Amino acid sequence: LTELVAGFHTQPGCLTVNGAGLAPTRFPVRAWLIETAAGPLLWDTGYSESLLHATQRSIYRLHPLITRVSYDPTQGVAQQLRRHGLPPREIRTLVVSHFHADHYAGMRDFPDAALVCSREAWSHVRRLRGIAAIASAFIPALLPADIATRLTFVEHFAERPLSAALAPFTYAW
């Protein structure tokens, strides 16, 4: 398991943590490389240059005004993986925890990866556009054009019981 930090954003703390108030709070943008017997898996993508391009036009210019993004293109997850000796095309599976831009902005950097997310997460954003999308930190232009053919829902996998140490969670996919 390798932690990858691809930038950070600063926003009023209350947008992320209940009761945190309006004070600007810095949040690192993380992704995780999970090396398995079946090959490397990536959990989330962090920020990417795609975000910088997608927020330069139309209503999506509001996103960086609400969520102050700090991103150095040399620190993108794809670039970090290359330095780790792993070309992005070798990532076979990309799991997206949810569709906030800081978690999926780099999806296009992994064109050969199968995409996995929850049906609920996808259902929540798939039709969002404009202000409704911005309110959910979702930017449709960050999605790969072929997402429909690459997407699998975690609910398709078999449920597995979890140990008591992970309570209150009792199962996972």
Side-chain angles (χ1 to χ4, degrees), residues 127-149:
R127 290 189 175 87
L128 290 179
R129 300 294 181 269
I131 294 294
I134 291 169
S136 290
F138 177 67
I139 301 168
L142 296 174
L143 297 173
D146 62 350
I147 191 168
T149 61

Side-chain angles (χ1 to χ4, degrees), residues 22-164:
L22 295 173
T25 306
R26 182 177 165 162
F27 296 94
V29 176
R30 294 184 175 97
W32 301 90
L33 172 63
I34 304 169
E35 298 183 61
T36 73
L41 175 146
L42 189 62
W43 183 278
D44 286 342
T45 67
Y47 287 140
S48 169
E49 283 192 74
S50 297
L51 177 70
L52 304 178
H53 299 297
T55 57
Q56 290 178 356
R57 53 186 183 271
S58 70
I59 192 77
Y60 301 104
R61 288 182 186 181
L62 293 175
H63 181 273
L65 298 175
I66 299 165
T67 301
R68 302 278 181 192
V69 173
S70 179
Y71 172 74
D72 175 349
T74 66
Q75 293 303 310
V77 168
Q79 291 78 1
Q80 290 182 59
L81 290 175
R82 283 186 195 96
R83 286 192 297 273
H84 188 73
L86 183 64
R89 289 197 173 271
E90 289 187 22
I91 297 295
R92 296 288 171 237
T93 304
L94 171 57
V95 179
V96 178
S97 62
H98 60 287
F99 288 93
H100 285 168
D102 57 319
H103 293 265
Y104 80 98
M107 285 177 89
R108 290 174 175 235
D109 296 339
F110 303 93
D112 297 329
L115 305 173
V116 179
C117 70
S118 74
R119 182 182 309 278
E120 180 180 350
W122 179 240
S123 295
H124 174 71
V125 299
R126 66 184 291 202
R127 290 189 175 87
L128 290 179
R129 300 294 181 269
I131 294 294
I134 291 169
S136 290
F138 177 67
I139 301 168
L142 296 174
L143 297 173
D146 62 350
I147 191 168
T149 61
R150 293 171 52 199
L151 193 59
T152 300
F153 300 118
V154 295
E155 293 87 353
H156 289 170
F157 298 101
E159 289 182 10
R160 303 282 187 221
L162 296 174
S163 75

